[in-house]
Amino acid sequence: MEKVRKIEKKILKKSEEAIKKKLISEKDKILIAFSGGPDSVFLYHLLDLMKNMISLEISIAYINHNLRYDVENDLKFINEFASKNNVNHYIESIDVKKYAAENKKSVELAARELRYETIENIRKKIGYNKIATGHNLDDNVETFIFRLLRGTSVTGLKGIPRVRENIVRPILDFEKNEILSFLRSKNYQYLVDYTNNENDYTRNFIRNKIFPDFEKINPAFRKKIESLIREINDKETCEMPVFHNYEKHINQKNELIQFLKQNNVEISREKIEQICESVFSENGKLQNKGSKEFHLGKNKILQNAYGELKIVAISNKNTKKNLNCNKEIEFSDRIKILKENQSIEWYNHKIALYKNIKDFETYFIDEKDMDYAYYKFDNEKMKDGKIIVRSRKDGDRILLKNLGHKKVKKILIDEKVMKWDRDSVPIVEIEIDEVLSGPEAGNNEIIEIKNEKKCKKLKEILAVSDIKFSKFLEKVQKKDIKELEDNNKSKLLIIGRKNGRKR
């Protein structure tokens, strides 16, 4: 009983610390990653206790990995637990084996990735602001040993973070034996996962085979390793230098490690060496020519944009999230038809085409955060073509006035548009039918019969965003647009960019 009383005091103390340090805050809505095992049951009761201290909303989410034959027992327990404790619960099923095979990942890693992704989707759906997981002190020590054996850098030895984005781990200070003792004393029921006793997975092997030998040497080894983890973390809380393009020689490896630590990136020493070779020149300066990307793993990318480093997270293969501004941008092949007297949205652009200039102010209202460029057609043949907006393609060229054709790729490089931003640059293209009077068409050109006439498709790029425009357009100032009203044959192409262009 004395042990249980100590645990209860510790629960109260850690709950107060969690509130004081804002790990858990007033009016938080917390979704518990709930397996029904002792850790998640303990976590639920700890958070339920904290509801007596501050206002909280709690729900539980169970993810069925479809890896065990006795999953029906889990589902029955989850439903009964939710009913008994009057707590909202959500159950989702995922196909771990299929995901692992398609992505060539271990079942253990695949289960982790899919589990977090699914729980995050539930959190967004129900409008909660935090996810709580039941990682305990033993898990933290296992992670430390696992990373040590794998050959991680010192960064990786800091253990499991107490907070990672919107994920919190309130029971990270509790040993497994403390959790089990408390649950038994209160007669709280929990599930036992038989796969925890199988040693097919590395972490299970560490827990079941290595830890018992450690205990023979020092029964308190968990506390000793936890103390080391805290020491590593304490060193990381010291003030870190701002990372930018240094003009003098720097200790590139240490500076890079500090930058990665700030962004919770855990990578090996070998990968750090590779990054250093990629982003630093031989004299130790950060390379400031061009833009490069380096995949860090765990859906994160390091970007060097002309001497400025930043890290973005990839939600899926077509989405990148800038960790600094917490904004997501989708990148995929797109194409839109630009119709007359209508505007279309294209990433951070707005593009419109007006047949009658006098309709411009009626249909088009300037937004304060948009900067616009205005063009009229300078070629009669081009006015009646089909205009589309699309993503760039390999080999794209634009015909510039007095300069001839120029590669779009070269234009974007000259304008210092980052590699990862180039797919969001709108290419405005026109497609017209050119009537043929004889066998002029080449073998690779598409010939169509229209109104009993032979035609071939002619495509020309009119504009690359508001960066460059072709010889077929003439740029006009907004103040001069009114003068075009008398000429109803004119068309006005408008390209707007949100917050203008950063040069």
Side-chain angles (χ1 to χ4, degrees), residues 112 143 147 150 152-161 164 203 260-261 263-269 271-272 296-298 300:
R112 181 184 182 277
T143 298
R147 291 173 178 170
R150 188 180 59 182
T152 187
S153 65
V154 175
T155 304
L157 298 180
K158 64 183 180 181
I160 301 173
R164 180 169 62 83
R203 290 181 182 274
L260 296 174
K261 285 178 181 178
N263 289 279
N264 293 320
V265 176
E266 300 168 0
I267 55 178
S268 65
R269 288 185 292 272
K271 186 162 279 191
I272 289 174
L296 301 171
K298 295 187 178 180
K300 289 183 179 179

Side-chain angles (χ1 to χ4, degrees), residues 215-237:
E215 283 182 336
K216 293 176 182 177
I217 300 172
N218 184 351
F221 81 91
R222 292 177 180 83
K223 287 289 187 181
K224 298 297 183 183
I225 293 179
E226 188 214 15
S227 177
L228 178 58
I229 294 173
R230 286 181 180 275
E231 183 180 342
I232 294 171
N233 289 340
D234 287 343
K235 287 183 178 180
E236 292 201 357
T237 59

Side-chain angles (χ1 to χ4, degrees), residues 381-382 385-386 429-434 445-446 455-460 472:
K381 185 171 68 173
M382 292 290 175
K386 175 183 175 182
E429 185 177 65
I430 190 166
E431 182 181 290
I432 61 175
D433 295 320
E434 187 174 45
E445 293 178 318
I446 300 173
C455 298
K456 70 175 180 179
K457 294 289 184 185
L458 177 66
K459 294 182 179 181
E460 288 285 352
F472 306 108

Side-chain angles (χ1 to χ4, degrees), residues 152-402:
T152 187
S153 65
V154 175
T155 304
L157 298 180
K158 64 183 180 181
I160 301 173
R162 198 172 299 272
V163 180
R164 180 169 62 83
E165 297 177 354
N166 61 349
I167 300 173
V168 296
R169 300 180 172 95
I171 65 170
L172 206 55
D173 294 316
F174 292 88
E175 291 187 50
K176 188 76 167 189
N177 62 56
E178 292 177 314
I179 292 171
L180 295 174
S181 296
F182 175 80
L183 295 178
R184 290 167 186 158
S185 71
K186 300 295 182 181
N187 201 28
Y188 290 144
Q189 301 300 306
Y190 55 85
L191 292 170
V192 177
D193 185 351
Y194 69 85
T195 62
N196 287 337
N197 295 320
E198 298 175 352
N199 296 322
D200 297 338
Y201 303 128
T202 305
R203 290 181 182 274
N204 285 8
F205 186 86
I206 292 172
R207 183 188 314 121
N208 300 327
K209 294 292 186 179
I210 297 179
F211 277 14
D213 288 338
F214 281 6
E215 283 182 336
K216 293 176 182 177
I217 300 172
N218 184 351
F221 81 91
R222 292 177 180 83
K223 287 289 187 181
K224 298 297 183 183
I225 293 179
E226 188 214 15
S227 177
L228 178 58
I229 294 173
R230 286 181 180 275
E231 183 180 342
I232 294 171
N233 289 340
D234 287 343
K235 287 183 178 180
E236 292 201 357
T237 59
C238 63
E239 185 176 348
M240 296 180 185
V242 176
F243 198 93
H244 56 83
N245 186 10
Y246 290 92
E247 294 299 328
K248 60 182 181 179
H249 183 81
I250 61 173
N251 187 336
Q252 55 190 43
K253 186 183 295 184
N254 287 343
E255 297 286 2
L256 179 62
I257 290 172
Q258 294 288 1
F259 176 67
L260 296 174
K261 285 178 181 178
Q262 287 176 310
N263 289 279
N264 293 320
V265 176
E266 300 168 0
I267 55 178
S268 65
R269 288 185 292 272
E270 289 78 11
K271 186 162 279 191
I272 289 174
E273 295 288 351
Q274 293 172 12
I275 297 173
C276 285
E277 292 177 4
S278 174
V279 302
F280 289 100
S281 59
E282 292 182 0
N283 63 2
K285 290 184 178 180
L286 187 62
Q287 295 180 13
N288 58 9
K289 293 182 179 180
S291 52
K292 290 184 178 180
E293 286 189 325
F294 194 98
H295 287 259
L296 301 171
K298 295 187 178 180
N299 298 324
K300 289 183 179 179
I301 293 176
L302 175 70
Q303 295 178 340
N304 179 16
Y306 295 92
E308 180 183 352
L309 289 186
K310 65 179 178 180
I311 294 174
V312 296
I314 306 174
S315 301
N316 55 61
K317 67 179 181 180
N318 292 326
T319 305
K320 291 182 180 180
K321 179 179 180 183
N322 189 326
L323 298 185
N324 295 326
C325 63
N326 202 35
K327 290 183 179 178
E328 287 191 352
I329 304 173
E330 292 186 358
F331 295 97
S332 58
D333 292 334
R334 300 175 63 188
I335 181 170
K336 289 187 176 183
I337 306 297
L338 188 59
K339 297 181 179 180
E340 293 177 351
N341 295 341
Q342 291 183 9
S343 64
I344 63 171
E345 304 287 340
W346 184 275
Y347 301 105
N348 62 333
H349 291 75
K350 190 173 184 178
I351 305 170
L353 177 70
Y354 289 91
K355 182 176 182 180
N356 297 318
I357 303 303
K358 61 184 180 181
D359 293 331
F360 163 64
E361 290 186 350
T362 303
Y363 286 92
F364 206 78
I365 302 174
D366 287 357
E367 290 92 342
K368 292 181 180 179
D369 61 347
M370 297 287 287
D371 288 343
Y372 294 97
Y374 308 92
Y375 308 93
K376 71 173 185 176
F377 284 79
D378 198 32
N379 185 294
E380 285 295 317
K381 185 171 68 173
M382 292 290 175
K383 287 196 308 180
D384 299 320
K386 175 183 175 182
I387 297 181
I388 64 172
V389 181
R390 62 169 174 83
S391 304
R392 70 188 179 101
K393 299 177 183 176
D394 289 341
D396 272 345
R397 291 171 177 265
I398 183 171
L399 183 57
L400 302 175
K401 192 172 184 178
N402 300 325

